[in-house]
Amino acid sequence: MLKALFLTILTLALVKSQDTEETITYTQCTDGYEWDPVRQQCKDIDECDIVPDACKGGMKCVNHYGGYLCLPKTAQIIVNNEQPQQETPAAEGTSGATTGVVSASSVAASGVLPGGGFVASAAAAAGSEGQTSRNNFVIRRNPADPQRIPSNPSHRIQCAAGYEQSEHNVCQDIDECTAGTHNCRADQVCINLRGSFACQCLPGYQKRGEQCVDIDECTIPPYCHQRCVNTPGSFYCQCSPGFQLAANNYTCVDINECDASNQCAQQCYNILGSFICQCNQGYELSSDRLNCEDIDECRTSSYLCQYQCVNEPGKFSCVCPQGYQVLRSRTCQDINECETANQCREDEMCWNYHGGFRCYPRNPCQEPYILTPENRCVCPVSNAVCRELPQSIVYKYMSIRSDRSVPSDIFQIQATTIYANTINTFRIKSGNENGEFYLRQTSPVSAMLVLVKSLSGPREHIVDLEMMTVSSIGTFRTSSVLRLTIIVGPFSF
């Protein structure tokens, strides 16, 4: 009897204490919460996020203020008057919780719950009101429990900063970003938090005081391979000329200009970051360093060809005058027309000279001279006219180049018959009116014709060289003439 009376008095005291307690406040963090130094308040720990395999046995994890629940995948959450509020997504895993029983000791210890959650007491979880089938659980608030939610709908509760009382008499978060009660600047983004909000800068910006300033990404890694260009809120990489950005928009790779857009006129060589053009032999790069211009080799030197240089695209060639042929690409060699083809008659002989040929009579003897088998023109002693004429005349021919250096020995005259007790003297009888020649006696029977003045061709000189023979005892006197025809060529070669 006394025991029953004591229980009755204790129950009345608890009811009276509940009726007089109008507000519920939180001054410290309980199990399932942690202190947020930024917001200066307790925030819920999401065990479903941080606890690996929080629920097992095919149960799903449902986070709640101050704890979490493991429910079957088909469970529904009913908030007030048995109206469905939310179907929580399933969380894979296994748990040791028994099917049909929900442990909510941490929830029951919390009293009034902020954030619009639910209450699941042990009685509710185990009673017939909480279980609808073996695999379908319905968790309801228990309005009859005075320790959870006040039975009077007009009952006022005091919520923490950033929370407000909902129509279900629970504390729920205020979305300052949606309500427009935040103080974020126009260049900031409002992020709603539980019980508060935060102002964040747009990507590429950072907070400096209350303002958002651009982040210069070019001063912090990762650096661009070559050049970094900072832009408001971002940056981009650039490459030097001759390079292009790789697919990662960071690395610069060399452009092979010779393959991509060959601008060289002839030869292209790719180098790192650029290219160079080169020309074929006989060409040189123009001022634009791309095109090739022909080199006029004939203008660079006057010694390339012996006679005349002819410029051609990429090369040059040498030509020779008529009567000559090109030798070893640059020099000129006389063509011996007498050995190839000439137009001399049968009674004429062909004489080749530098740059041409001439035809001379095979019998040059003139009256009263007659031709002997030795090709000498002899004046017969039986002829009285011959007493005043040279006894014999020998015809000789020679050719020299134009502008030959002087003095120069050009021809030697020598007696063919030597008589005893005779004296031979030599002289130029005719053909030296301008003094181009000098005859120097080199021995008692010979003399050398010397060119003392330069001759320019083409021209022909006929010089008579006379050898006079006198007996030392004065018994006889005779002379013979060598008629030398000198043909000067038109060129110095």
Side-chain angles (χ1 to χ4, degrees):
M1 183 65 180
L2 291 175
K3 184 177 181 180
L5 180 60
F6 176 78
L7 291 175
T8 301
I9 294 173
L10 180 59
T11 302
L12 291 176
L14 290 174
V15 173
K16 180 176 182 58
S17 175
Q18 182 70 31
D19 291 340
T20 58
E21 187 178 358
E22 292 293 328
T23 61
I24 301 174
T25 61
Y26 300 90
T27 59
Q28 60 182 359
C29 297
T30 60
D31 293 341
Y33 289 83
E34 63 181 358
W35 180 251
D36 188 348
V38 177
R39 295 160 48 191
Q40 293 295 308
Q41 62 185 30
C42 296
K43 65 177 182 181
D44 175 59
I45 299 174
D46 190 351
E47 293 82 1
C48 296
D49 183 47
I50 66 175
V51 178
D53 297 333
C55 295
K56 303 183 182 300
M59 306 290 281
K60 64 181 179 181
C61 181
V62 180
N63 186 59
H64 188 60
Y65 289 99
Y68 67 98
L69 299 176
C70 293
L71 302 178
K73 294 182 179 180
T74 57
Q76 288 185 331
I77 301 174
I78 306 299
V79 179
N80 200 15
N81 297 328
E82 300 185 0
Q83 297 298 323
Q85 181 187 18
Q86 174 183 0
E87 183 174 349
T88 306
E92 296 296 330
T94 59
S95 174
T98 305
T99 303
V101 178
V102 180
S103 174
S105 60
S106 63
V107 177
S110 301
V112 179
L113 304 174
F118 56 84
V119 175
S121 64
S128 61
E129 187 176 355
Q131 180 176 355
T132 59
S133 67
R134 181 173 182 83
N135 296 320
N136 187 14
F137 282 77
V138 179
I139 308 303
R140 300 183 178 86
R141 280 201 166 88
N142 187 1
D145 190 346
Q147 294 185 2
R148 298 297 179 264
I149 299 176
S151 60
N152 186 359
S154 62
H155 183 73
R156 300 295 298 173
I157 62 176
Q158 181 177 352
C159 297
Y163 293 88
E164 63 183 356
Q165 182 180 351
S166 70
E167 60 182 3
H168 303 297
N169 288 336
V170 295
C171 291
Q172 64 180 11
D173 175 57
I174 299 174
D175 190 346
E176 295 85 356
C177 299
T178 303
T181 58
H182 63 87
N183 58 353
C184 296
R185 299 166 58 92
D187 58 349
Q188 296 176 342
V189 178
C190 179
I191 305 297
N192 186 59
L193 304 173
R194 289 182 180 179
S196 182
F197 67 94
C199 298
Q200 291 185 358
C201 297
L202 296 173
Y205 293 85
Q206 62 182 354
K207 259 192 169 184
R208 185 173 296 171
E210 294 298 325
Q211 295 183 345
C212 290
V213 295
D214 175 55
I215 299 174
D216 189 355
E217 294 87 353
C218 296
T219 60
I220 57 177
Y223 299 100
C224 294
H225 189 189
Q226 290 184 349
R227 290 188 293 178
C228 178
V229 179
N230 186 58
T231 59
S234 184
F235 75 101
Y236 63 92
C237 295
Q238 279 186 345
C239 295
S240 303
F243 295 86
Q244 63 183 358
L245 276 177
N248 59 8
N249 290 326
Y250 166 77
T251 307
C252 293
V253 295
D254 175 57
I255 299 174
N256 190 342
E257 295 85 355
C258 296
D259 292 339
S261 57
N262 186 4
Q263 303 179 52
C264 296
Q266 292 184 357
Q267 301 178 28
C268 180
Y269 294 92
N270 184 64
I271 58 176
L272 189 63
S274 184
F275 68 99
I276 56 174
C277 297
Q278 288 189 355
C279 299
N280 299 328
Q281 185 176 1
Y283 294 87
E284 61 183 355
L285 278 176
S286 59
S287 57
D288 61 7
R289 314 304 296 173
L290 298 174
N291 295 304
C292 293
E293 297 177 349
D294 175 58
I295 299 175
D296 189 352
E297 296 88 352
C298 299
R299 297 182 61 183
T300 60
S301 174
S302 58
Y303 299 100
L304 292 176
C305 298
Q306 191 174 35
Y307 175 64
Q308 183 179 356
C309 178
V310 178
N311 185 61
E312 299 177 10
K315 61 180 182 178
F316 72 96
S317 61
C318 296
V319 296
C320 293
Q322 185 177 1
Y324 293 85
Q325 61 185 354
V326 178
L327 179 66
R328 293 188 293 272
S329 302
R330 299 195 179 191
T331 59
C332 293
Q333 183 184 49
D334 173 57
I335 299 174
N336 191 346
E337 294 87 354
C338 297
E339 294 180 354
T340 57
N342 60 78
Q343 298 178 355
C344 296
R345 300 190 307 266
E346 288 292 333
D347 60 344
E348 293 178 332
M349 58 173 289
C350 178
W351 181 260
N352 183 70
Y353 66 91
H354 297 290
F357 72 98
R358 292 193 178 186
C359 297
Y360 295 102
R362 292 185 181 274
N363 182 8
C365 300
Q366 298 178 359
E367 288 294 337
Y369 290 90
I370 60 174
L371 183 65
T372 65
E374 294 83 11
N375 289 324
R376 298 168 64 90
C377 295
V378 178
C379 191
V381 293
S382 58
N383 192 337
V385 178
C386 294
R387 294 177 182 176
E388 301 298 328
L389 297 176
Q391 181 185 2
S392 65
I393 299 176
V394 178
Y395 289 84
K396 293 293 182 178
Y397 307 91
M398 70 171 297
S399 62
I400 61 174
R401 295 179 177 87
S402 180
D403 301 320
R404 182 168 176 170
S405 61
V406 292
S408 177
D409 297 343
I410 61 174
F411 191 83
Q412 182 176 357
I413 181 174
Q414 185 171 354
T416 56
T417 303
I418 301 175
Y419 299 98
N421 301 320
T422 58
I423 298 174
N424 298 314
T425 59
F426 300 90
R427 67 169 184 158
I428 301 176
K429 184 175 182 180
S430 65
N432 192 27
E433 290 77 9
N434 297 324
E436 295 97 345
F437 305 97
Y438 168 75
L439 190 61
R440 182 181 75 250
Q441 187 167 347
T442 57
S443 72
V445 294
S446 64
M448 179 65 70
L449 182 66
V450 181
L451 179 68
V452 295
K453 289 184 180 180
S454 181
L455 299 177
S456 297
R459 62 183 295 186
E460 182 182 80
H461 287 269
I462 299 177
V463 181
D464 284 350
L465 304 178
E466 184 180 27
M467 182 182 69
M468 294 177 293
T469 304
V470 180
S471 173
S472 59
I473 59 176
T475 55
F476 69 93
R477 179 178 180 275
T478 183
S479 70
S480 61
V481 172
L482 188 149
R483 185 160 290 172
L484 179 63
T485 300
I486 303 175
I487 306 170
V488 182
F491 305 101
S492 60
F493 47 85

